[in-house]
Amino acid sequence: MSTFPRWVANPDRPDPVSTHHASPAARRAALLAGVALLSLLTACGNSTPQSAPKTLPGTAGPASGDTGTKAGSTGAATPAASASSKKTGTGTGTGTGSAPASASAGSAAGGGRCHTSELRASVGRNDPGAGQENFPIVLTNTSGRTCTVRGYPGAAFVDASGKQLGPDPLRSSGAPTTVALAPGHSAWSGLTFSNPEISGAHTATPASLIVTPPDERDSLTVTWTGGKVPVSGNASSVSLTVVRPGSGA
C-alpha cells in the first residue's frame, strides 16, 4: 500500500473551481462591488487640480448686457461739431454767403432787420477835431428790399494775421433809433479815439477793421487806411455811436 496520505475533501469548504455555481444574488453583489471599486479608482485619477486661469493684458470691456456707461457715451462735444457752429464773414467791405431765409421772407413785406449778407461796410473820411480822430463806419444796403438797422455795430482792429489790436470799443451814450434802409441807402456809426500823438497812448497800425452789423453774428472786413490807432496806455479807448441815417460825410 502507498504510504502517502490521500487528500480528502473537506465537506465544509467550498471547492475553488466551483464558484461559478454561485447563486445569482451572490454574482450580482460581486458585480456591484466591482463597479464601486472602479468608480473610486476613476475619481482618484481625476483629483489633480486645474491650473489657474491666465490673466490677459489690456482693459476689459463692459460685460454683455451691462447697463452702465458704454463706449462713446461720454457726452463730450467733438471738435468738428463745436467749430462748425461758429460762422465767420469774409471779404473786404462785403459779406459773403446767401441771405438767411428770414431775409427772403421779409422782402415781400419790405421790412425786417438787415442781415450781414445784405450789407456792405466801408470806412469814411476822417474828420478830426479837438484832438479827436473821427471816422464814420458806413453800412450800405446792397439787397433788393428795404431793411432796418438799430443800435450799435461791433468793431475791432486786427493785424494781418487776424489778431485783435487793443480792447473792444466802448459805446457812447445815445438813444438808439430804427433806421430804414431802402436798396442802395446807408447808415453810419461814428468811430472815435484820441489822437495818439497827443494822448501818448501806445499805438499799432491795423491791417483791417472788422465790422459786425447791429444784432448780427457774421462780420464784414474792411481794409484800414486810417493809420495808427491807440491800443494801450493813456487815453487808449475807442468809442462807437449808435447808427443814424446817411453816410457821415
Side-chain angles (χ1 to χ4, degrees):
M1 293 183 59
S2 173
T3 58
F4 294 96
R6 298 181 58 186
W7 179 82
V8 179
N10 186 353
D12 296 328
R13 182 178 180 181
D15 188 351
V17 299
S18 64
T19 55
H20 63 279
H21 296 297
S23 65
R27 288 199 301 270
R28 185 166 55 252
L31 180 61
L32 292 176
V35 171
L37 178 60
L38 180 60
S39 299
L40 179 61
L41 293 175
T42 301
C44 292
N46 293 335
S47 62
T48 302
Q50 296 290 328
S51 60
K54 295 181 179 179
T55 301
L56 300 178
T59 303
S64 176
D66 183 16
T67 58
T69 303
K70 292 180 173 58
S73 62
T74 58
T78 63
S82 301
S84 63
S85 63
K86 186 176 181 180
K87 297 180 180 179
T88 303
T90 60
T92 302
T94 59
T96 60
S98 58
S102 57
S104 299
S107 61
R113 186 177 81 245
C114 296
H115 297 283
T116 301
S117 59
E118 300 174 294
L119 298 170
R120 180 181 71 249
S122 60
V123 177
R125 181 178 56 86
N126 184 20
D127 183 19
Q132 296 287 317
E133 308 299 323
N134 305 294
F135 293 87
I137 298 176
V138 184
L139 296 173
T140 303
N141 182 4
T142 60
S143 74
R145 72 182 184 104
T146 297
C147 58
T148 61
V149 290
R150 178 186 175 88
Y152 297 86
F157 294 112
V158 296
D159 62 16
S161 65
K163 179 181 178 181
Q164 182 170 337
L165 301 173
D168 292 336
L170 304 176
R171 291 181 174 182
S172 299
S173 59
T177 59
T178 300
V179 180
L181 297 180
H185 287 219
S186 302
W188 68 283
S189 169
L191 178 118
T192 302
F193 55 86
S194 297
N195 186 314
E197 294 182 359
I198 298 175
S199 68
H202 298 292
T203 64
T205 302
S208 304
L209 178 69
I210 305 300
V211 179
T212 306
D215 299 317
E216 288 292 295
R217 294 181 180 272
D218 292 344
S219 301
L220 302 168
T221 302
V222 184
T223 300
W224 178 257
T225 59
K228 295 180 179 181
V229 300
V231 293
S232 65
N234 182 41
S236 61
S237 61
V238 178
S239 63
L240 287 169
T241 68
V242 296
V243 293
R244 62 198 74 178
S247 61

